[in-house]
Amino acid sequence: MVNFKWDQKRALEVAKEDVVAIGEARGEARGKLLGERNAMMKVALSLLKKGLSVGVITESTNLSLEEVRKIAKDNGLAF
């Protein structure tokens, strides 16, 4: 027979640790996605400056046409 005593204080501590761990994992995932997106935006700007076609840029970076247009506009590049 298993002898088990419920410890509510410890259960709450474990639950809090779990919530914190989940929050940290989500934050790391969001940070990684934002970092990758920012990197692709820098690549897109570089490719725009080199005169590559918008189609190549959108395919290479997985950015939308609108995003590439905005990058061009924000950096004073003709589209």
Side-chain angles (χ1 to χ4, degrees):
M1 184 166 159
V2 176
N3 188 8
F4 178 79
K5 182 179 177 189
W6 176 254
D7 183 350
Q8 185 173 2
K9 183 178 177 182
R10 180 64 186 138
L12 290 173
E13 289 172 0
V14 169
K16 182 179 177 182
E17 291 168 3
D18 289 346
V19 168
V20 169
I22 290 168
E24 288 175 349
R26 286 182 181 170
E28 288 175 11
R30 284 184 189 150
K32 182 179 177 184
L33 287 174
L34 287 174
E36 290 171 357
R37 178 175 163 74
N38 287 339
M40 287 299 103
M41 293 175 82
K42 287 180 182 180
V43 169
L45 177 58
S46 177
L47 297 176
L48 282 166
K49 288 180 178 178
K50 292 180 188 250
L52 267 72
S53 74
V54 176
V56 170
I57 296 170
T58 57
E59 286 179 25
S60 300
T61 61
N62 288 324
L63 295 174
S64 70
L65 177 61
E66 293 77 27
E67 290 171 315
V68 174
R69 282 185 179 158
K70 184 174 181 340
I71 292 167
K73 180 182 174 186
D74 291 349
N75 289 279
L77 300 172
F79 197 80

